[in-house]
Coordinates of all heavy atoms in Angstrom, one line a residue:
K409 N -62.7 -17.2 64.4 CA -61.4 -17.8 64.1 C -61.5 -19.0 63.1 O -60.7 -19.2 62.2 CB -60.8 -18.4 65.4 CG -59.4 -19.0 65.2 CD -58.8 -19.4 66.5 CE -57.4 -20.1 66.3 NZ -56.9 -20.6 67.6
A410 N -62.6 -19.7 63.2 CA -62.8 -20.9 62.3 C -63.3 -20.4 60.9 O -62.8 -21.0 59.9 CB -63.9 -21.8 62.9
V411 N -64.2 -19.4 60.8 CA -64.8 -19.1 59.5 C -64.0 -18.0 58.7 O -64.1 -18.0 57.5 CB -66.3 -18.7 59.7 CG1 -67.1 -19.8 60.3 CG2 -66.4 -17.4 60.5
A412 N -63.4 -17.1 59.4 CA -62.8 -16.0 58.7 C -61.4 -16.3 58.2 O -60.4 -15.9 58.7 CB -62.7 -14.8 59.7
R413 N -61.4 -17.1 57.1 CA -60.1 -17.4 56.5 C -60.4 -17.9 55.0 O -61.6 -18.1 54.6 CB -59.4 -18.5 57.2 CG -60.2 -19.8 57.5 CD -59.5 -20.7 58.5 NE -60.3 -21.9 58.9 CZ -60.4 -23.0 58.2 NH1 -59.6 -23.1 57.1 NH2 -61.1 -24.0 58.6
N414 N -59.4 -18.1 54.3 CA -59.5 -18.6 52.9 C -60.3 -17.7 52.0 O -61.0 -18.2 51.1 CB -60.0 -20.0 52.8 CG -59.1 -21.0 53.5 OD1 -57.9 -20.8 53.7 ND2 -59.7 -22.1 54.0
R415 N -60.3 -16.4 52.3 CA -61.0 -15.4 51.5 C -62.5 -15.6 51.5 O -63.3 -15.1 50.7 CB -60.6 -15.4 50.0 CG -59.1 -15.0 49.9 CD -58.8 -13.6 50.3 NE -59.4 -12.6 49.4 CZ -59.5 -11.3 49.7 NH1 -59.0 -10.8 50.8 NH2 -60.0 -10.5 48.8
R416 N -63.0 -16.4 52.5 CA -64.4 -16.6 52.7 C -65.1 -15.3 53.2 O -64.5 -14.6 54.0 CB -64.7 -17.7 53.7 CG -66.2 -18.1 53.8 CD -66.3 -19.2 54.8 NE -65.7 -20.5 54.4 CZ -64.6 -21.0 55.0 NH1 -64.0 -20.3 56.0 NH2 -64.0 -22.1 54.6
E417 N -66.3 -15.0 52.7 CA -67.0 -13.8 53.1 C -67.8 -14.1 54.4 O -68.6 -15.1 54.4 CB -67.9 -13.3 52.0 CG -67.1 -12.9 50.8 CD -68.0 -12.7 49.6 OE1 -69.2 -13.2 49.6 OE2 -67.6 -12.0 48.6
V418 N -67.6 -13.3 55.4 CA -68.3 -13.6 56.7 C -69.0 -12.4 57.1 O -68.5 -11.3 57.2 CB -67.3 -14.0 57.8 CG1 -68.0 -14.4 59.1 CG2 -66.4 -15.2 57.3
I419 N -70.3 -12.6 57.5 CA -71.1 -11.5 58.0 C -71.7 -11.9 59.3 O -72.3 -13.0 59.5 CB -72.3 -11.2 57.0 CG1 -71.8 -10.6 55.7 CG2 -73.3 -10.2 57.6 CD1 -72.8 -10.5 54.6
L420 N -71.5 -11.1 60.3 CA -72.0 -11.3 61.6 C -73.2 -10.4 61.9 O -73.0 -9.2 62.0 CB -71.0 -11.2 62.7 CG -71.4 -11.6 64.2 CD1 -70.2 -12.0 65.0 CD2 -72.1 -10.4 64.9
T421 N -74.4 -10.9 61.9 CA -75.6 -10.1 62.2 C -75.6 -9.9 63.7 O -75.7 -10.8 64.5 CB -76.9 -10.8 61.7 OG1 -76.7 -11.0 60.3 CG2 -78.1 -9.9 62.0
T422 N -75.6 -8.6 64.1 CA -75.5 -8.3 65.6 C -76.8 -8.6 66.3 O -77.9 -8.9 65.7 CB -75.1 -6.9 65.8 OG1 -76.1 -6.0 65.2 CG2 -73.8 -6.5 65.2
F423 N -76.8 -8.6 67.6 CA -77.9 -9.0 68.5 C -79.2 -8.3 68.1 O -79.2 -7.1 67.9 CB -77.5 -8.7 69.9 CG -78.4 -9.2 70.9 CD1 -78.4 -10.6 71.2 CD2 -79.2 -8.4 71.7 CE1 -79.2 -11.1 72.2 CE2 -80.0 -8.9 72.7 CZ -80.1 -10.3 72.9
S424 N -80.2 -9.1 68.1 CA -81.6 -8.6 67.7 C -82.4 -8.4 69.0 O -82.6 -9.3 69.7 CB -82.3 -9.6 66.8 OG -83.6 -9.1 66.5
P425 N -82.8 -7.1 69.3 CA -83.5 -6.9 70.6 C -84.9 -7.4 70.6 O -85.6 -7.5 69.5 CB -83.5 -5.3 70.6 CG -82.6 -4.8 69.6 CD -82.6 -5.9 68.5
S426 N -85.3 -7.8 71.7 CA -86.7 -8.2 72.0 C -87.5 -6.9 72.5 O -86.8 -5.9 72.9 CB -86.9 -9.3 72.9 OG -86.4 -9.0 74.2
H427 N -88.8 -7.0 72.6 CA -89.6 -5.9 73.1 C -90.6 -6.4 74.1 O -91.8 -5.8 74.2 CB -90.2 -5.1 72.0 CG -89.3 -4.3 71.2 ND1 -88.6 -4.8 70.1 CD2 -88.8 -3.1 71.3 CE1 -87.8 -3.9 69.5 NE2 -87.9 -2.8 70.3
F428 N -90.3 -7.3 75.0 CA -91.2 -7.7 76.1 C -91.2 -6.5 77.1 O -92.2 -6.3 77.8 CB -90.7 -8.9 76.8 CG -90.8 -10.2 76.0 CD1 -89.7 -10.7 75.3 CD2 -92.0 -10.8 75.8 CE1 -89.8 -11.8 74.5 CE2 -92.2 -12.0 75.1 CZ -91.1 -12.5 74.4
E429 N -90.0 -5.8 77.2 CA -89.9 -4.6 78.0 C -90.4 -4.8 79.4 O -91.2 -3.9 79.9 CB -90.5 -3.4 77.3 CG -89.9 -3.2 75.9 CD -90.5 -2.0 75.2 OE1 -91.7 -1.8 75.3 OE2 -89.7 -1.4 74.4
G430 N -90.0 -5.9 80.1 CA -90.3 -6.0 81.5 C -91.6 -6.7 81.7 O -91.9 -7.0 82.9
R431 N -92.4 -6.9 80.7 CA -93.7 -7.6 80.9 C -93.6 -9.1 80.7 O -92.8 -9.6 79.9 CB -94.8 -7.0 79.9 CG -95.2 -5.6 80.2 CD -96.3 -5.2 79.3 NE -95.8 -5.0 77.9 CZ -95.4 -3.8 77.4 NH1 -95.5 -2.7 78.1 NH2 -95.0 -3.8 76.1
P432 N -94.4 -9.9 81.5 CA -94.4 -11.3 81.3 C -94.7 -11.7 79.8 O -95.6 -11.0 79.2 CB -95.4 -11.8 82.3 CG -95.5 -10.8 83.3 CD -95.3 -9.5 82.6
W433 N -94.1 -12.8 79.3 CA -94.4 -13.1 77.9 C -95.8 -13.5 77.6 O -96.2 -13.5 76.5 CB -93.4 -14.3 77.6 CG -93.8 -15.6 78.2 CD1 -93.5 -16.0 79.4 CD2 -94.5 -16.7 77.5 NE1 -94.0 -17.3 79.6 CE2 -94.6 -17.7 78.5 CE3 -95.0 -16.8 76.2 CZ2 -95.2 -18.9 78.2 CZ3 -95.6 -18.1 75.9 CH2 -95.7 -19.1 76.9
D434 N -96.6 -13.9 78.7 CA -98.0 -14.2 78.5 C -98.9 -13.2 79.0 O -100.1 -13.5 79.2 CB -98.3 -15.6 79.1 CG -98.0 -15.6 80.7 OD1 -97.5 -14.6 81.2 OD2 -98.4 -16.5 81.3
S435 N -98.5 -12.0 79.1 CA -99.4 -10.9 79.5 C -100.1 -10.3 78.3 O -99.5 -10.1 77.2 CB -98.6 -9.8 80.3 OG -97.7 -9.2 79.5
L436 N -101.3 -9.8 78.5 CA -102.1 -9.2 77.5 C -101.4 -7.9 77.1 O -101.2 -7.0 77.9 CB -103.5 -9.0 77.9 CG -104.5 -8.7 76.8 CD1 -104.6 -9.8 75.8 CD2 -105.9 -8.4 77.5
G437 N -101.2 -7.7 75.8 CA -100.6 -6.4 75.3 C -99.1 -6.3 75.6 O -98.6 -5.2 75.7
A438 N -98.4 -7.4 75.6 CA -96.9 -7.4 75.9 C -96.2 -6.6 74.8 O -95.3 -5.9 75.1 CB -96.4 -8.8 76.0
C439 N -96.6 -6.8 73.6 CA -95.9 -6.0 72.5 C -97.0 -5.7 71.4 O -97.0 -6.4 70.3 CB -94.7 -6.7 71.9 SG -94.9 -8.4 71.4
N440 N -97.9 -4.8 71.7 CA -99.0 -4.5 70.8 C -98.9 -3.1 70.2 O -99.9 -2.6 69.8 CB -100.3 -4.6 71.6 CG -100.4 -3.6 72.7 OD1 -99.4 -3.0 73.1 ND2 -101.6 -3.5 73.3
M441 N -97.7 -2.6 70.1 CA -97.5 -1.3 69.5 C -97.7 -1.3 68.0 O -97.4 -2.4 67.4 CB -96.1 -0.7 69.9 CG -95.9 -0.6 71.4 SD -97.1 0.6 72.1 CE -96.6 0.6 73.8
T442 N -98.1 -0.2 67.4 CA -98.3 -0.2 66.0 C -97.4 0.8 65.2 O -97.5 0.9 64.0 CB -99.8 0.2 65.7 OG1 -100.1 1.5 66.3 CG2 -100.7 -0.9 66.3
E443 N -96.5 1.4 65.9 CA -95.6 2.3 65.3 C -94.2 2.2 65.9 O -94.1 1.8 67.1 CB -96.0 3.8 65.4 CG -97.2 4.1 64.5 CD -97.5 5.6 64.5 OE1 -96.8 6.4 65.2 OE2 -98.4 6.0 63.7
P444 N -93.1 2.5 65.2 CA -91.8 2.5 65.8 C -91.6 3.5 66.9 O -92.3 4.5 67.0 CB -90.9 2.8 64.6 CG -91.7 2.6 63.4 CD -93.1 2.9 63.8
Y445 N -90.5 3.3 67.7 CA -90.1 4.3 68.6 C -89.6 5.5 67.8 O -89.1 5.4 66.7 CB -89.0 3.8 69.5 CG -89.4 3.0 70.7 CD1 -89.1 1.7 70.8 CD2 -90.1 3.6 71.7 CE1 -89.4 0.9 71.9 CE2 -90.5 2.9 72.9 CZ -90.1 1.5 72.9 OH -90.5 0.8 74.0
G446 N -89.6 6.7 68.5 CA -89.0 7.9 67.9 C -87.5 7.9 68.1 O -86.9 6.9 68.6
A447 N -86.9 9.0 67.9 CA -85.4 9.2 68.0 C -84.9 9.1 69.4 O -83.7 8.9 69.6 CB -85.0 10.5 67.3
G448 N -85.8 9.2 70.4 CA -85.3 9.2 71.8 C -84.9 7.9 72.3 O -84.2 7.8 73.4
K449 N -85.2 6.8 71.6 CA -84.9 5.4 72.1 C -83.4 5.1 71.8 O -83.0 5.3 70.7 CB -85.8 4.4 71.4 CG -85.6 3.0 71.8 CD -86.0 2.7 73.3 CE -85.9 1.2 73.6 NZ -86.1 1.0 75.0
V450 N -82.7 4.7 72.9 CA -81.3 4.4 72.7 C -81.0 2.9 73.2 O -81.8 2.4 73.9 CB -80.4 5.4 73.5 CG1 -80.6 6.8 73.0 CG2 -80.8 5.3 75.0
L451 N -79.9 2.4 72.7 CA -79.5 1.1 73.2 C -79.1 1.1 74.7 O -78.4 2.1 75.1 CB -78.3 0.6 72.4 CG -78.6 0.1 71.0 CD1 -77.4 -0.4 70.3 CD2 -79.7 -1.0 71.0
E452 N -79.4 0.1 75.4 CA -79.0 0.0 76.8 C -79.0 -1.4 77.3 O -79.6 -2.3 76.6 CB -79.9 0.9 77.7 CG -81.4 0.5 77.6 CD -82.3 1.5 78.3 OE1 -81.8 2.4 79.0 OE2 -83.5 1.4 78.2
G453 N -78.5 -1.7 78.4 CA -78.5 -3.0 79.1 C -78.0 -4.1 78.2 O -77.0 -4.0 77.6
L454 N -78.8 -5.2 78.2 CA -78.4 -6.4 77.4 C -78.1 -6.1 76.0 O -77.1 -6.6 75.4 CB -79.5 -7.4 77.6 CG -79.3 -8.7 76.8 CD1 -78.2 -9.6 77.4 CD2 -80.7 -9.5 76.8
D455 N -79.0 -5.4 75.3 CA -78.8 -5.1 73.9 C -77.5 -4.4 73.6 O -76.7 -4.8 72.7 CB -80.0 -4.2 73.4 CG -81.3 -4.8 73.6 OD1 -81.4 -6.1 73.6 OD2 -82.3 -4.1 73.7
L456 N -77.2 -3.4 74.4 CA -75.9 -2.7 74.3 C -74.7 -3.6 74.5 O -73.7 -3.5 73.7 CB -75.9 -1.5 75.3 CG -74.7 -0.6 75.2 CD1 -74.6 0.1 73.9 CD2 -74.8 0.4 76.4
E457 N -74.7 -4.4 75.5 CA -73.6 -5.2 75.9 C -73.3 -6.3 74.9 O -72.2 -6.6 74.5 CB -73.7 -5.8 77.3 CG -72.5 -6.6 77.8 CD -71.3 -5.8 77.9 OE1 -71.3 -4.5 77.9 OE2 -70.2 -6.4 78.0
M458 N -74.4 -7.0 74.4 CA -74.2 -8.0 73.5 C -73.7 -7.5 72.1 O -72.8 -8.1 71.5 CB -75.5 -8.8 73.2 CG -76.1 -9.5 74.5 SD -75.1 -10.9 75.0 CE -75.8 -12.2 74.0
R459 N -74.2 -6.4 71.7 CA -73.7 -5.8 70.5 C -72.2 -5.3 70.6 O -71.4 -5.5 69.7 CB -74.5 -4.5 70.1 CG -74.0 -3.8 68.9 CD -74.6 -2.4 68.8 NE -73.9 -1.6 67.7 CZ -72.8 -0.9 67.9 NH1 -72.2 -0.9 69.1 NH2 -72.2 -0.3 66.9

Side-chain angles (χ1 to χ4, degrees):
K409 182 180 179 181
V411 299
R413 53 188 175 87
N414 298 334
R415 300 294 290 171
R416 186 181 295 110
E417 298 168 343
V418 182
I419 295 171
L420 187 151
T421 303
T422 60
F423 189 72
S424 179
S426 67
H427 288 90
F428 292 100
E429 299 180 327
R431 290 186 289 263
W433 71 281
D434 60 349
S435 65
L436 193 64
C439 51
N440 62 351
M441 300 299 180
T442 58
E443 290 190 353
Y445 277 115
K449 180 66 174 176
V450 296
L451 285 181
E452 57 187 353
L454 175 70
D455 302 333
L456 180 65
E457 183 63 14
M458 297 291 272
R459 175 196 172 274

